Amino acid sequence: KPRVLSGIQPTADSFHLGNYLGAVRQWVALQETHDAFYFLADLHAITVEHDPKLLRKRTRASAAQLLALGLDPERATLFAQSQVHEHAELGWVMQCLTGFGEASRMTQFKDKSAKQAMVSVGLFTYPVLQAADILLYRPQYVPVGEDQRQHLELTRDLAQRFNSRFGKTFQPPEPFILKDTAKIFDLQDPSAKMSKSASSPGGIVELLDDPKVSAKKIRSAVTDAGREVVFDPENKPGVSNLLGIYSALTDRGIADLQNAYDGKGYGDLKKDLAEVVAEFVTPVRAQVKSYLDDPAELDKILRRGAERAREVAAATLSRVYDKVGFLR
Ligand code: TYM
């Protein structure tokens, strides 16, 4: 089976629709056909100031959400990044291969650092650790949203650079990005991506929100001039975003939805989308609750995942240490 790997940061109480449609939904599908590794990027979560108690809580809550959304720890390897120390170790080697200028060009770093009072060196080298996360498992594909594309490019560059300096070790991995859901937009600002850290609370639909709260956010989503419900991202980014979410959650094509809303208005679309979202999140919320009732079981699942992950990670790291000339 070809291998896939991806990660998500446990930096919010809830995932949002962008995380689910852009990434996690593909993770669940790929566990059927691929040797899948998915992890909670807790090392990345401390690149900005954080509260330890909250991080622990959110790491468990993130695991619970992944399970509730359909990840099966028997079929996919699910773990917390910090429990596989090889991530930090390969991260160091990769830092020594990354140019300062190259790291300075990462657009997510520029965006995030502009918002921090103190910009840590860890935030600067964040994408390099991400490259290590990926290369440790030698995956073919990395299922992510569009915002991770530049980090995947860096990963490929570092893989090639390592190979040319030290001999063939890594196969550069491909991003796996589905066009239709690559970028879900902020409901209040449809020119920006829906984001845990950047969106206003009204702009993100959180999976664990009460569906009544989500309905209200959807009702007050910024729409566009005109009245027709048509998919036109250029001129009608707000309505197109709602249609994109609707289509993804129901598997109904955009053309089908446009026909169904012919002669109706934005209000009808929003009302129906709120129902679609409620139907989707209601069982997920219940499942998350029941997973969180048994944190010891969650921790056990993650520990087992880390053991499996470490078998692969340790083998890669050992080869890397040998190639760079460390005594073995
Ligand atoms: P994170 O935690 O920000 O997001 C997790 C996943 O959700 C996707 N995503 C979106 N997709 C579509 N529309 C949106 N509005 C949207 N917002 C988020 C992200 O693209 C991502 O796939 N750096 C990563 C975590 C990471 C990682 C890795 C990923 C660390 N190491 C190795 C892959 C491989 C991040 O911050 O994702």
Side-chain angles (χ1 to χ4, degrees):
K1 278 194 197 174
R3 185 172 289 158
V4 295
L5 166 124
S6 199
I8 187 162
Q9 290 196 79
T11 46
D13 292 329
S14 172
F15 296 164
H16 56 66
L17 277 179
N19 299 134
Y20 176 65
L21 295 175
V24 176
R25 194 159 80 134
Q26 283 66 262
W27 299 9
V28 175
L30 289 164
Q31 72 183 350
E32 308 297 336
T33 47
H34 289 66
D35 181 21
F37 287 78
Y38 303 124
F39 67 94
L40 308 165
D42 51 0
L43 296 178
H44 282 109
I46 67 166
T47 56
V48 294
E49 213 178 308
H50 77 287
D51 171 347
K53 274 208 201 84
L54 211 47
L55 176 60
R56 200 168 285 126
K57 175 169 167 251
R58 288 171 167 175
T59 302
R60 290 200 181 102
S62 300
Q65 288 174 83
L66 291 176
L67 296 170
L69 290 165
L71 275 200
D72 175 356
E74 298 302 319
R75 276 180 288 181
T77 301
L78 174 63
F79 62 101
Q81 186 187 25
S82 62
Q83 293 188 343
V84 182
H85 56 75
E86 286 82 357
H87 288 249
E89 292 169 282
L90 185 62
W92 176 254
V93 176
M94 290 298 152
Q95 284 186 49
C96 297
L97 283 178
T98 308
F100 195 87
E102 189 175 33
S104 309
R105 285 192 291 276
M106 294 292 117
T107 57
Q108 276 212 343
F109 171 71
K110 290 191 222 170
D111 294 346
K112 282 194 190 170
S113 58
K115 286 176 211 125
Q116 299 297 321
M118 197 281 282
V119 179
S120 73
V121 175
L123 187 64
F124 183 63
T125 59
Y126 176 121
V128 185
L129 177 60
Q130 181 165 348
D133 297 337
I134 297 169
L135 296 176
L136 262 184
Y137 298 89
R138 291 170 274 117
Q140 256 110 325
Y141 301 105
V142 183
V144 287
E146 180 62 38
D147 61 346
Q148 300 299 314
R149 193 183 285 280
Q150 195 188 28
H151 293 166
L152 264 292
E153 279 304 316
L154 175 70
T155 304
R156 293 172 55 83
D157 289 347
L158 290 175
Q160 271 147 357
R161 193 169 308 153
F162 189 98
N163 289 347
S164 69
R165 292 228 187 131
F166 304 111
K168 178 112 184 61
T169 309
F170 298 114
Q171 181 68 39
E174 303 275 344
F176 180 98
I177 301 175
L178 291 190
K179 191 171 135 279
D180 290 342
T181 49
K183 192 169 179 183
I184 303 297
F185 296 90
D186 184 319
L187 299 187
Q188 288 299 316
D189 174 10
S191 68
K193 70 168 180 184
M194 190 178 281
S195 157
K196 296 186 262 240
S197 52
S199 296
S200 67
I204 54 178
V205 176
E206 300 198 329
L207 302 187
L208 301 183
D209 264 346
D210 184 323
K212 287 195 199 96
V213 172
S214 302
K216 201 163 154 197
K217 291 181 184 179
I218 292 167
R219 262 203 315 279
S220 28
V222 169
T223 32
D224 314 284
R227 316 182 39 248
E228 287 96 86
V229 176
V230 287
F231 189 77
D232 176 1
E234 263 309 271
N235 302 306
K236 287 181 172 248
V239 173
S240 303
N241 187 39
L242 297 179
L243 277 171
I245 295 170
Y246 197 145
S247 167
L249 286 177
T250 56
D251 282 322
R252 285 174 69 181
I254 295 283
D256 175 23
L257 290 175
Q258 277 184 168
N259 281 339
Y261 287 92
D262 191 18
K264 298 187 183 170
Y266 297 161
D268 299 297
L269 173 70
K270 288 174 166 180
K271 189 170 139 287
D272 295 349
L273 177 59
E275 266 168 44
V276 165
V277 168
E279 234 166 85
F280 174 70
V281 302
T282 299
V284 173
R285 295 176 78 218
Q287 284 243 32
V288 166
K289 249 199 211 113
S290 82
Y291 282 117
L292 288 176
D293 279 343
D294 193 353
E297 175 61 21
L298 278 177
D299 292 4
K300 202 162 97 194
I301 290 173
L302 292 177
R303 265 200 313 276
R304 256 194 254 125
E307 273 166 34
R308 283 219 301 266
R310 198 177 291 140
E311 284 171 23
V312 178
T316 306
L317 187 71
S318 172
R319 267 165 69 192
V320 166
Y321 273 16
D322 186 47
K323 294 232 162 146
V324 302
F326 294 156
L327 290 178
R328 307 306 296 142

